[in-house]
Each structure stands twice: as structure tokens, then as C-alpha cells.
Amino acid sequence: MANLGTTQRILPTSSKPSSPTTDTHEPKSPHEKLYADLKFYCPINIPLTQDAAASRIIRNLGNLGLYYTLFIWIILFITLIPERKVSLILLVIMTYVTTLYCLLLRACPNSVVLHRIIDKRIVLSLLFIATAIQLILTEAGIHFAVTLTCSVPVVLLHAVLWAGSYEYDAYETEEGSGKEELAPLTGSQNDSEPHNVDVV
């Protein structure tokens, strides 16, 4: 009675085995593509040889020298705030003079006097020596020595361990003609070529 007016149809089953399905999931949204291309990147590693360590220190001091100097300057500035007001004022004045000189180098990239006759490394060294002498004469020599003693090993340790993106092809920046991680204020480009400065 239950089957009255109804017919049951038996579906044929295929005898050949089903092929294994390969999961070819392709990300559809931009966020999925971003996470699919995400790779772990660690710019810090230990150099294998002493020559590699020395070349890495030289390269990082050239590329990141401005940031290392700023790191040491901030520590010295903080240590001078409580007691040495005169030394602090002189430090700010010498920083202002150094900044003006670096900006003058950038403003006149084709100047033969600034780039060929007068070596910028000598000028920056003289400004550093003048700053050190002023700090010593204003009784802030101990602050200066302690700051250098504490910060220079940290800077050298970072310079040894920082591999930077220039050792990884996937992270090389191709803006301009250089492949540096961070551009120094007094860049090491050819002095005869004009510098392109974008003002944002």
C-alpha cells in the first residue's frame, strides 16, 4: 500500500574508482593573496667569517651612520638634561651647525668646493672633535665618555648582526639607483650627479 503509484528508481553506480582530487585552492580576495605571499624575514644573523663581519660593519656604518649618530646623540642629550645646562646648549648649537652643513651638501650637489676640495668626512670629524672639546671644557666630559662607552658597543653589535634587506633579493628597494635599506643624510652617491630630493 505504501508503494501505490510510486516507482523506485535505482541509480547506476560507476564501477571505475574516483580519481583523487587535488586541492588547488587559489586565494580569491586580496587579503588571502597577501597572506599567501607572506614570508618570514629576519634581517639579523651572525656573519660566518671575520671578513664578512668587518665588511658588514663598514657597510652598515656607511648606510646607517646617521641613525647610529642620532641614537648616541639622544642618549647624550638625556644624560645632560638634569645637571649640565650649558653643555646641553652647546650640544644643541653644534648639532644645528652640523645639520646646516649636511643640508648645504644636499642643496649644492654639483659644488666642487663642497664635494671635491673639502672632504665631508674631515669636516664632520672636526665638528665631532669641537663638540667633544666643548663638553669637556664645560665639565660634561664624564657624561660624554660614559655615553660613548655604553652606546658604541650597542652600535657595533647592531652593525655586525644587521644583515639588512640588501642581502635578500625579495626585499631590495629599487627606488632611484641604489639598493640601500635606509638612505643616509650625506649619501654616498656620485658627487657629480645631481641629487633628486622629493618634498612631501
Side-chain angles (χ1 to χ4, degrees), residues 157-177:
L157 181 64
H158 182 273
V160 169
L161 296 178
W162 182 259
S165 66
Y166 35 78
E167 292 188 5
Y168 298 92
D169 294 333
Y171 294 91
E172 286 179 347
T173 57
E174 296 180 359
E175 295 179 359
S177 60

Side-chain angles (χ1 to χ4, degrees), residues 69-79:
T69 306
L70 186 62
F71 171 72
I72 296 172
W73 185 89
I74 289 173
I75 295 174
L76 182 60
F77 185 85
I78 292 172
T79 57

Side-chain angles (χ1 to χ4, degrees), residues 8-192:
Q8 293 182 351
R9 191 179 293 179
I10 300 173
L11 297 174
T13 58
S14 60
S15 60
K16 63 179 184 178
S18 61
S19 61
T21 58
T22 58
D23 187 16
T24 58
H25 173 70
E26 293 188 11
K28 297 176 182 178
S29 67
H31 296 294
E32 289 183 5
K33 290 182 180 179
L34 176 66
Y35 293 133
D37 295 337
L38 186 64
K39 296 177 182 176
F40 181 71
Y41 167 64
C42 182
I44 294 177
N45 60 23
I46 299 173
L48 300 177
T49 61
Q50 292 181 353
D51 294 336
S55 65
R56 187 182 287 180
I57 289 174
I58 294 170
R59 183 175 59 236
N60 284 334
L61 288 178
N63 292 339
L64 305 174
L66 174 67
Y67 305 99
Y68 293 149
T69 306
L70 186 62
F71 171 72
I72 296 172
W73 185 89
I74 289 173
I75 295 174
L76 182 60
F77 185 85
I78 292 172
T79 57
L80 291 177
I81 286 175
E83 300 176 359
R84 305 292 176 199
K85 305 294 184 184
V86 178
S87 303
L88 186 64
I89 293 171
L90 291 175
L91 177 66
V92 170
I93 290 172
M94 292 305 293
T95 305
Y96 183 70
V97 171
T98 307
T99 305
L100 285 179
Y101 173 71
C102 292
L103 290 175
L104 184 64
L105 288 176
R106 284 283 182 162
C108 305
N110 297 327
S111 175
V112 177
V113 176
L114 290 175
H115 293 280
R116 300 289 175 100
I117 298 175
I118 301 174
D119 191 3
K120 59 188 171 192
R121 291 173 291 191
I122 295 176
V123 175
L124 293 174
S125 300
L126 290 175
L127 288 171
F128 173 78
I129 292 170
T131 305
I133 291 174
Q134 288 177 358
L135 291 174
I136 292 171
L137 292 178
T138 54
E139 299 178 354
I142 296 176
H143 296 82
F144 183 65
V146 169
T147 301
L148 288 181
T149 305
C150 295
S151 59
V152 168
V154 175
V155 167
L156 290 177
L157 181 64
H158 182 273
V160 169
L161 296 178
W162 182 259
S165 66
Y166 35 78
E167 292 188 5
Y168 298 92
D169 294 333
Y171 294 91
E172 286 179 347
T173 57
E174 296 180 359
E175 295 179 359
S177 60
K179 293 183 177 179
E180 298 178 353
E181 170 70 15
L182 298 169
L185 185 61
T186 56
S188 60
Q189 298 176 355
N190 293 334
D191 296 329
S192 60

